[in-house]
Amino acid sequence: MDLLLCVDDDPITTMLSKMVFTKAAYAKEIVTAQNGEEALHYLDSLLESQSSTTPTLIFLDLNMPVMGGWEFLDAFAQDKYRTAFADCKVIVLSSTIDPKDIEKSKSYSMVLDFVSKPISKDLLAAVSLKLQA
């Protein structure tokens, strides 16, 4: 995987996630954002620069200040992003597994899975299998 975007407001979670991604050699480049708004600004910068490198996968926390995961998904579902990032999938990453949240995540076509924190090598292996399916 060339580029992975990790959106989480918790610096410890982000640091640990990056360590797992790096140890597993999961992505060539890991970009982080502290909230959904920051992630959208990053995606907008890729659109403006017409970058050929776009995220293959976004790991998205739900509960963040400024713009949470649900708001990000609503924005990311707009044609502007779905056209440019059609191959990009989202893994919702949450510290709670609320059945309502899991069901809600299924209403977004770009959401590949809903998983609980923390990220592990086993979780990454399972995500890889789903990406290939």
Side-chain angles (χ1 to χ4, degrees), residues 62 70 94 96 98-106 114:
L62 289 179
W70 296 125
S94 183
T96 60
D98 182 338
K100 291 177 194 160
D101 286 342
I102 295 169
E103 279 307 306
K104 184 175 180 179
S105 73
K106 291 177 182 174
F114 188 109

Side-chain angles (χ1 to χ4, degrees), residues 55-116:
T56 307
L57 198 56
I58 298 173
F59 281 86
L60 178 67
D61 185 24
L62 289 179
N63 300 309
M64 298 175 286
V66 183
M67 178 186 278
W70 296 125
E71 295 164 290
F72 172 84
L73 285 170
D74 288 340
F76 194 59
Q78 295 173 7
D79 288 344
K80 167 185 174 181
Y81 297 107
R82 292 316 311 144
T83 302
F85 304 105
D87 296 332
C88 183
K89 294 295 181 187
V90 176
I91 302 294
V92 176
L93 192 62
S94 183
S95 51
T96 60
I97 299 291
D98 182 338
K100 291 177 194 160
D101 286 342
I102 295 169
E103 279 307 306
K104 184 175 180 179
S105 73
K106 291 177 182 174
S107 69
Y108 295 92
S109 62
M110 74 289 284
V111 173
L112 184 65
D113 205 352
F114 188 109
V115 298
S116 61

Side-chain angles (χ1 to χ4, degrees), residues 112-128:
L112 184 65
D113 205 352
F114 188 109
V115 298
S116 61
K117 292 179 183 180
I119 291 175
S120 66
K121 278 186 160 185
D122 290 341
L123 185 142
L124 294 180
V127 167
S128 291

Side-chain angles (χ1 to χ4, degrees), residues 1-4 20-30 57 59 91 121 123-129 131:
M1 179 174 319
D2 286 336
L3 178 60
L4 183 146
V20 174
F21 295 141
T22 303
K23 266 190 166 178
Y26 201 70
K28 291 178 186 169
E29 184 179 358
I30 303 159
L57 198 56
F59 281 86
I91 302 294
K121 278 186 160 185
L123 185 142
L124 294 180
V127 167
S128 291
L129 289 175
L131 279 171

